[in-house]
Amino acid sequence: MPVLWYPATSWCSTSDGRTTWKQMSYLTWGVLQERVMTRSYGATAASPGERFTDSQFLVLMNRVLALIVAGLSCVLCKQPRHGAPMYRYSFASLSNVLSSWCQYEALKFVSFPTQVLAKASKVIPVMLMGKLVSRRSYEHWEYLTAGLISIGVSMFLLSSGPEPRSSPATTLSGLLLLAGYIAFDSFTSNWQDALFAYKMSSVQMMFGVNFFSCLFTVGSLLQQGALLEGTRFMGRHSEFAAHALLLSVCSACGQLFIFYTIAQFGAAAFTIIMTLRQAIAILLSCLLYGHTVTVVGGLGVAVVFAALLLRVYARGRVKQRGKKALPTEPPVQKV
C-alpha cells in the first residue's frame, strides 16, 4: 500500500507539484465516487447483483482514512505547537455535516438551473461570511471579480451541462434548504480560515476536523442502523472494499489540498478555485468527447477569463501602491 504514504511525504517536502497531486486526487475522487454509487457488485449471469446506495457510509470511510493520514503526517513530520482548543474543530465539522445534508435534500426540491446558479454563486456569500466570522475585509474589485466569475461560470454550466430529464420544480422548501447549504458551507471554510490564527499546520487542522466529523457520522449511522449494513456489504463484496479504499485515499489527498489552500490563500480564494473546477471539468469533457460548446457557453468562459485577468491586474496595482507607500530612509551623508 505505498500510495498511503504520498500525502505524508509530499506534505513534508517542497511545495512544487504538491497542488498537482492534490488536484489529480480530487478529480479522481469524483470519478470513483460516481463509479462506486452506480456499479452493480456481485453481478453474474444468473443475478443482476446489488448496488451500494448509502453515501454516508462512504463519507465515514473517507473521514476515517483522512484522520489516519493526518495523524501519520503529524507523527512523521515536525509540526508547530498546537494551541487551539479541540472543541473549536467541532463547529466546522458540524457545519460541514449540515451543509451536506441541506445540499442533498435540496436536490429533491429545486430545478437543475437553480442548482447550477447556487453552486456557481457561492463566492460572494463566502466573502460576506468572512466579514462576520473572521472580520476579513475585501476591496470593491474583489466583489466585482467574484460576481463576474459567478456569472461566467453560470452561463457556461447552464448552456453546456445537460439538464437531467427528471429535474424537479423549485419549491420554497427547496430554496430554504439551498440557502442553508450555502450558509453552512460558507461558515465551514471561513471558520477553518479563522482557526489558522492559532498558527497550526494544515494537517493539524485536518486531524481535528476529521476527528469530530467521524464522531458525528458514526452517530448518524448508528441512529439510522446503517453502520452494520454497510460493513456487511463490504464483507460480501471485496471489490467494493477495494474501490471504497481507493476512493478514501483520493479523498484524503484532496483534503490536504483543501486545507493547504485555505491556510495559504483564504476561504474566498478556495471557493473561487472550486467554482472554476466545475467549469473546467465540463470544458474538458467537451474537448475529450466532442461535445459542442454553445455561443453562450463560450461567452461565459470569456467572462471568467476577463474576471481572472482583472483580478490579477488589480492585485498587482495594490502591491505597487503598497511598495510606494513604504517610507524610505533618507541617505546618510558622509562627513
Side-chain angles (χ1 to χ4, degrees), residues 73-129:
S73 299
C74 290
V75 172
L76 298 175
C77 305
K78 185 178 180 180
Q79 304 294 329
R81 183 180 179 86
H82 186 267
M86 282 297 294
Y87 74 89
R88 286 184 173 270
Y89 295 106
S90 64
F91 299 147
S93 300
L94 181 59
S95 63
N96 187 28
V97 171
L98 292 175
S99 69
S100 299
W101 181 82
C102 288
Q103 179 186 13
Y104 288 119
E105 288 298 315
L107 296 180
K108 305 174 184 177
F109 304 105
V110 295
S111 63
F112 176 77
T114 307
Q115 299 171 25
V116 171
L117 291 174
K119 291 181 179 180
S121 306
K122 287 195 305 181
V123 183
I124 293 180
V126 167
M127 296 170 70
L128 295 176
M129 186 66 72

Side-chain angles (χ1 to χ4, degrees), residues 13-320:
S13 59
T14 61
S15 59
D16 296 337
R18 176 165 47 193
T19 302
T20 303
W21 273 108
K22 306 308 178 292
Q23 283 282 34
M24 288 174 59
S25 300
Y26 208 77
L27 292 173
T28 307
W29 174 81
V31 175
L32 287 173
Q33 185 184 39
E34 182 178 358
R35 181 178 182 180
V36 169
M37 297 300 294
T38 58
R39 183 184 180 90
S40 294
Y41 291 95
T44 61
S47 173
E50 55 181 336
R51 290 187 177 184
F52 187 79
T53 58
D54 191 356
S55 59
Q56 196 173 24
F57 185 82
L58 287 177
V59 171
L60 175 62
M61 291 192 62
N62 294 344
R63 288 170 176 168
V64 168
L65 187 60
L67 181 67
I68 295 173
V69 170
L72 288 175
S73 299
C74 290
V75 172
L76 298 175
C77 305
K78 185 178 180 180
Q79 304 294 329
R81 183 180 179 86
H82 186 267
M86 282 297 294
Y87 74 89
R88 286 184 173 270
Y89 295 106
S90 64
F91 299 147
S93 300
L94 181 59
S95 63
N96 187 28
V97 171
L98 292 175
S99 69
S100 299
W101 181 82
C102 288
Q103 179 186 13
Y104 288 119
E105 288 298 315
L107 296 180
K108 305 174 184 177
F109 304 105
V110 295
S111 63
F112 176 77
T114 307
Q115 299 171 25
V116 171
L117 291 174
K119 291 181 179 180
S121 306
K122 287 195 305 181
V123 183
I124 293 180
V126 167
M127 296 170 70
L128 295 176
M129 186 66 72
K131 295 176 69 69
L132 296 176
V133 175
S134 54
R135 301 293 188 268
R136 185 181 290 270
S137 60
Y138 296 96
E139 301 289 342
H140 294 296
W141 59 266
E142 292 182 284
Y143 286 107
L144 174 62
T145 54
L148 289 175
I149 290 173
S150 299
I151 293 173
V153 172
S154 299
M155 292 170 60
F156 179 75
L157 293 180
L158 287 173
S159 62
S160 301
E163 181 173 353
R165 296 179 180 178
S166 58
S167 179
T170 301
T171 62
L172 179 60
S173 58
L175 292 176
L176 292 176
L177 287 168
L178 210 55
Y181 156 65
I182 294 176
F184 287 125
D185 190 68
S186 301
F187 175 83
T188 300
S189 56
N190 277 290
W191 186 259
Q192 292 168 352
D193 191 13
L195 281 179
F196 280 112
Y198 286 96
K199 308 300 181 184
M200 69 183 70
S201 69
S202 299
V203 289
Q204 287 174 330
M205 170 74 76
M206 181 176 170
F207 182 87
V209 171
N210 279 284
F211 174 77
F212 284 100
S213 295
C214 288
L215 294 181
F216 291 139
T217 309
V218 168
S220 177
L221 288 172
L222 289 175
Q223 189 270 333
Q224 299 174 20
L227 182 60
L228 186 58
E229 180 57 34
T231 306
R232 289 172 177 171
F233 189 93
M234 184 182 298
R236 290 195 302 269
H237 306 288
S238 59
E239 187 181 10
F240 166 77
H243 289 167
L245 179 59
L246 184 58
L247 177 70
S248 299
V249 171
C250 293
S251 174
C253 294
Q255 283 196 43
L256 288 173
F257 163 74
I258 289 173
F259 290 113
Y260 172 78
T261 304
I262 293 176
Q264 297 297 320
F265 306 106
F270 165 72
T271 306
I272 290 175
I273 292 173
M274 299 306 292
T275 301
L276 293 176
R277 186 180 67 87
Q278 301 178 55
I280 292 173
I282 294 182
L283 183 60
L284 287 176
S285 176
C286 293
L287 295 176
L288 291 175
Y289 300 106
H291 302 310
T292 58
V293 178
T294 63
V295 176
V296 177
L299 183 60
V301 173
V303 170
V304 170
F305 277 105
L308 293 176
L309 290 175
L310 178 61
R311 194 176 183 88
V312 172
Y313 171 77
R315 193 175 295 278
R317 291 292 301 271
V318 169
K319 289 183 178 179
Q320 288 181 357

